[in-house]
Amino acid sequence: MTQQTPPPPAAPRLSLTEKASLTSGAGDFVTTAVPEAGIPAVTMSDGPHGLRLPKESGDGGQVDLHSAAPATCYPPAVALGSSWDPELAHRVAGALADEAASHGIRVLLGPGINIKRSPLCGRNFEYFSEDPLLTAEMGGAMVRGLQESGVGAALKHYAANNQETDRMRVSADIDERPLREIYLRAFERIVRRDRPWSVMCSYNAVNGTLLSENARLLTGILRTEWGFDGVVMSDWGAVRDRVAALRAGLDLQMPGTHGRSDAEVVAAVTAGELDESVLDTSVERLALFARRADEGVRTGPRMSVDEHHRLAGEAADRCVVLLKNERGILPLDRSNGSVAVIGEPARTPRYQGAGSSQVTPTRLDTPLDKLRELADGARVEFAPGCPAPGGEGEATAGAPADEAVRLAAACDTVVVFLGLSAADESEGFDRGHIGLPEDQLLLLERLVAANPRVVAVLSNGGVVRTAPWHDTVPALIEGWLLGQAGGGALARVLFGAVNPSGKLAETVPLRLEDSPSHLSFPGEEGHVRYGEGVFVGYRGYDAAAREVAFPFGHGLSYTSFAYSGPRVERDGDTFSVSVTVTNTGRRRGREVVQIYSSGPAGSTVARPPRELRGFVSVTLDPGESRDVAVGIPRGELAYYSARESGWRVEGGDYGIEAGSSSRDIRGSAVISVEGDPPGVALSGRSTIAEWLDHPVGGPLLMERFMAARAAAGAAAMENPTMARFLAGMPLEVVAEFPQSPVGPDGVAELTALAAAGTPAGDA
């Protein structure tokens, strides 16, 4: 149930100074209160995947990035996105809210829903996916889970915050169509549907204007178009000009500036440089925000630390992605044989990203300990092989590596843990490459030579290159960063206590150079050009027909699934796509069915070969079949027309595909869709093709051609080559041709008739 905004109670009149004080924080993570006006303070916390409880430093102090107390560390978004499970994200968010409320936290600074434009982004571990629909479903579920439990969400980072390089000032230069279809789409869906209490603006600029001062994005799009009625707060330190930011629609500057920016606001109002009504509007929103947070606190029994840890483990189970499993090497037999566990990450795991989202966990499960606990007759041996990622020294030769190779040769199966360190990926900087540490790769080569039964387990916050070495190992698991209970999840998957069902939420390329954004990331001289347009992630790989290591949506299971369909039925403006899924294997398992669409033939804009339109999961026993369905509203097939300043559905036949990944398509269908009428009036500058495509202008123009069939222009239109030649010409140019069926005087006449909606034959 969505919580309603409480009505504003009667309050004393605020002075100008009090009003200004509300528009900036009273401390590092707390807003300003005006008790006599009934406006309480709101305490916030970093926490996309767990609380980093703030230590308020007080006046004149510095923010302490260490958590004030332990809290449950759930799988970060990089892992949670691979669950493709919004219901799970909803439950995790409810548990986060429960924990936040117990510490007096009223607003959680998350979720982060920025798109993974490049695999190099150092903060990709905090984001869900390269796809806006999957991002919106997972992020929206978290917003609902938080707010239904009485804790506000701060949706971030709005907008186009897709890199850490020069993040405080870089301008993301983006054409309008990719801005709307890719980078704003998840924000739009969540704002319209899930009504977050607040939105956090990012540091960067978009097309030359800082987000904190960007009236078009903060007011024109966010509030006027999407109907957002909450508070816009800044990222910490994102405001350069408090008065300009307030005028643009930013309500709350964080953290506090000890009164400096408040005084600037007072001075601007006093001098007549800022209309006080602008300040009043923000103050009204901030007062409602504070009262909503104060009244939303949930009372009653709370989950225990043990229950939270169990949920963190259940979530981690869903996030593990089985990338490869040849010869049925997995699951391992826990009742017999021997397993050589190699790699320091098995003993000292990396389970979260570095930066402002770091959580002090309540406990930490290690893969090595959990493998030993689960083994019931199997012998589990360990050798570090390499130092922990980011550690000192080489381990490709000498005692550590030699010991690991000897152990591998002496055991039935090798499980080697590979990964990155916080020094490789973190908030604040981007990666320079996507490779694993060289010492790990050299050790892996020696291990495979000693024992070909090698299972590789990855631990990383961003995509790593697996080619060409993934061809040398029979099994590969993407373990991402799995939170404090991730060690148990990996052990359960390896020994088969859990059947993996995770699916990649981003493409794993063969090479960094194959990434669609490669040639324009991270930009230069303060600007980054989003030159790939809408062809982000799998959209770009598919459009360029590039081979990839593992495609978007890929993830194997210890069982197998067969599809029948898709079948498409239409109910009003919604297409219902149904698929019959059958478990054809020997184990109970969960499959995520993905529905994609392709644009109509002859589209007037560049379209990706396929775009995700929906997904649904189904859990089946061996031999069981079940029908699942995904609804696709007609409007979801629209592209954003910069010329028409709005969404437009093209008419024609669209392909509908059902698949287990973006490149494992199990069935297809075709739907016919009627197009939207053009939103731009015809004129002499409109091309012949645009005239002919218009429902009124097309028949009018054709009537003129038919009436002058003997004219040169008409004959030209009947010649296919000449027709294509003329199609791109403006009507006013064609009108100048000798013997044109539409002379210069006829252009204005036809334009007026088309604008009036006069059909052919009545002209």
Side-chain angles (χ1 to χ4, degrees), residues 253-277:
Q253 177 181 5
M254 291 298 292
T257 61
H258 310 295
R260 176 187 54 78
S261 61
D262 300 348
E264 293 171 357
V265 171
V266 170
V269 172
T270 302
E273 298 168 358
L274 176 68
D275 193 316
E276 191 167 358
S277 65

Side-chain angles (χ1 to χ4, degrees), residues 86 89 132-142 144 189-190 193 615:
L133 178 111
L134 178 56
T135 295
E137 294 305 299
M138 298 299 294
M142 292 204 74
R144 294 191 300 274
R189 291 177 191 272
I190 295 174
R193 178 189 62 201
F615 60 93

Side-chain angles (χ1 to χ4, degrees), residues 341-353:
V341 178
I342 308 296
E344 190 59 43
R347 182 169 61 179
T348 54
R350 182 164 170 253
Y351 53 93
Q352 64 177 330

